[in-house]
């Protein structure tokens, strides 16, 4: 498995990977900087949809030639998002990326049953992949932004999406920790019952799903041992399946604002990975998210 984002960057460069990104809301300095950075590394080309005058001004500030990009003037959020998704569906772009626009506008275009990117029965979910310096490795978690209170069936789909992402990150045997607030089943705590149900499902070869775990014993083998938990996953999880969006969102923001850990985020479950960050994410996070989306699109 790739240990960090530098290894992913080296892989994309050395393997001569090149994907076509369409950035909607392109008049966003952070998103555009991240995209230009990826283009200069050689693994993307790009179409920019947004306020053309502002987009060109930002490119000029970066000393980046505007003629290297297809630029489409469309300052209206919904129209820009729809045009980006249409380009992906028509094969004119490989991955859509959110720039300066409301998340709701972007998601509406993706989830539109007429011309969106969802397949029948599919479920879109957010992922966060972060570098954990203490363990010198990348850990994947979700859902932190889309599904508020997923049902057991929805958690099964989210877990499958995250497992596929972990495999794209090079994980040979994917270990999933189904997180709750307690490490034992309790009928009063639905997430603990869901975690136990997920544990009993058939996930196929090279996938281990265990739970429920409280976060401490999911992350730390000694904490699990101290509580009498025998587990192949505790302390070695590749994926943390969060009980709901509230837990996932708080965890994501703790990684960012307390831990200051490098991270990528986006959405999976559509026909193609979607590069989607919070508008408060910095350039590095958006750059790593581009790489994560490309990596998933290769598998």
């Amino acid at each position: 498995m790739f240990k960090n984002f530098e290894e992913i960057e080296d892989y994309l460069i050395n393997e001569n990977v090149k994907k076509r990104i369409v950035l909607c809301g392109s008049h966003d300095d952070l998103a555009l900087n991240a995209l230009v950075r990826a283009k200069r590394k050689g693994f993307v080309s790009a179409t920019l949809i947004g306020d053309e005058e502002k987009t060109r001004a930002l490119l000029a500030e970066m000393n980046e030639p505007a003629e290297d990009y297809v630029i489409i003037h469309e300052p209206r959020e919904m129209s820009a998002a729809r045009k980006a998704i249409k380009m992906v569906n028509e094969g004119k772009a490989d991955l859509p990326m959110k720039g300066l626009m409301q998340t709701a506008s972007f998601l509406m275009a993706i989830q539109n049953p007429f011309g969106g990117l969802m397949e029948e029965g599919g479920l879109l979910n957010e992922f966060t992949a972060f570098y954990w310096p203490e363990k010198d490795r990348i850990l994947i978690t979700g859902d932190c932004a889309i599904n508020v209170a997923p049902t057991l069936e929805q958690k099964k789909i989210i877990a499958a999406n995250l497992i596929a992402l972990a495999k794209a990150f090079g994980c040979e045997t994917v270990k999933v920790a189904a997180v709750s607030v307690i490490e034992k089943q309790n009928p009063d705590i639905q997430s603990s019952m869901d975690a136990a149900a997920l544990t009993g499902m058939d996930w196929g070869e090279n996938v281990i799903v265990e739970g429920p775990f409280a976060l401490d014993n999911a992350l730390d083998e000694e904490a699990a041992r101290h509580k009498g938990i025998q587990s192949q996953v505790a302390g070695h999880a590749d994926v943390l399946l969060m009980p709901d969006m509230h837990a996932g969102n708080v965890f994501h923001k703790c990684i960012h604002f307390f831990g200051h850990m490098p991270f990528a985020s986006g959405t999976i479950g559509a026909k193609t990975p979607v590069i989607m960050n919070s508008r408060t994410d910095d350039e590095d996070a958006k750059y790593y998210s581009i790489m994560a989306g490309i990596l998933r699109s290769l598998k």
Side-chain angles (χ1 to χ4, degrees):
M1 186 172 186
F2 293 107
K3 285 186 175 181
N4 53 51
F5 293 107
E6 288 73 22
E7 287 189 359
I8 297 173
E9 181 185 69
D10 289 344
Y11 173 80
L12 296 177
I13 293 171
N14 294 333
E15 293 297 316
N16 295 313
V17 172
K18 191 161 190 176
K19 291 290 183 176
R20 300 165 299 172
I21 307 290
V22 54
L23 173 64
C24 50
S26 57
H27 48 286
D28 175 4
D29 59 339
L30 295 176
L32 190 55
N33 264 293
L35 191 57
V36 166
R37 185 169 157 190
K39 178 259 186 184
R40 288 174 176 172
K41 293 289 183 178
F43 51 82
V44 307
S45 60
T47 296
L48 310 176
I49 304 177
D51 186 303
E52 183 173 0
E53 182 179 351
K54 291 179 181 177
T55 299
R56 288 183 179 275
L58 288 171
L59 289 171
E61 289 176 13
M62 302 172 204
N63 295 314
E64 182 69 7
E67 58 268 23
D68 286 358
Y69 302 84
V70 175
I71 302 176
I72 299 171
H73 180 65
E74 182 49 85
R76 296 170 298 177
E77 285 190 3
M78 280 302 306
S79 295
R82 289 194 191 104
K83 286 183 178 181
I85 301 310
K86 187 171 186 285
M87 285 188 66
V88 174
N89 278 322
E90 291 177 347
K92 296 176 182 177
D94 297 309
L95 294 93
M97 179 176 178
K98 181 173 92 69
L100 190 62
M101 66 170 51
Q102 296 285 338
T103 297
S105 299
F106 193 52
L107 289 179
M108 282 177 66
I110 293 166
Q111 295 177 309
N112 187 337
F114 305 102
L117 288 177
M118 299 303 298
E119 294 179 320
E120 188 174 351
L123 180 72
L124 198 67
N125 68 270
E126 185 271 354
F127 75 86
T128 300
F130 66 94
Y131 174 67
W132 190 1
E134 182 182 332
K135 297 291 182 77
D136 189 26
R137 65 188 184 95
I138 289 174
L139 191 61
I140 294 167
T141 185
D143 183 327
C144 306
I146 297 177
N147 297 284
V148 178
T151 64
L152 175 60
E153 186 59 32
Q154 288 173 326
K155 287 179 182 178
K156 182 180 177 181
I157 299 172
I158 292 168
N161 288 343
L162 296 173
I163 289 165
L165 180 66
K167 290 180 177 178
F169 270 72
C171 188
E172 294 181 2
T173 299
V174 183
K175 297 178 180 179
V176 181
V179 177
S180 181
V181 296
I182 193 171
E183 58 276 353
K184 295 181 180 179
Q185 296 180 59
N186 185 328
D188 293 329
I189 303 174
Q190 186 59 46
S191 60
S192 74
M193 303 302 290
D194 289 347
L198 291 165
T199 301
M201 295 179 183
D202 181 8
W203 294 95
E205 294 183 2
N206 301 321
V207 178
I208 303 169
V209 177
E210 292 184 355
F213 288 106
L215 188 60
D216 55 352
N217 45 64
L219 294 174
D220 188 84
E221 188 176 12
E222 183 56 37
R225 188 180 298 114
H226 187 71
K227 291 185 175 182
I229 300 170
Q230 294 183 338
S231 169
Q232 300 178 75
V233 173
H236 305 283
D238 304 297
V239 173
L240 298 175
L241 178 64
M242 287 296 166
D244 55 34
M245 189 182 76
H246 304 94
N249 192 270
V250 171
F251 183 69
H252 171 100
K253 289 177 178 174
C254 285
I255 289 166
H256 185 184
F257 292 102
F258 284 124
H260 305 290
M261 297 178 186
F263 71 91
S265 61
T267 65
I268 43 180
K271 295 176 186 176
T272 180
V274 174
I275 304 163
M276 186 180 82
N277 292 84
S278 168
R279 285 168 292 170
T280 61
D281 289 350
D282 61 20
E283 180 190 325
D284 281 345
K286 295 175 191 288
Y287 177 65
Y288 298 148
S289 299
I290 291 170
M291 294 196 298
I294 292 174
L295 198 62
R296 177 65 186 94
S297 74
L298 300 176
K299 303 296 182 179

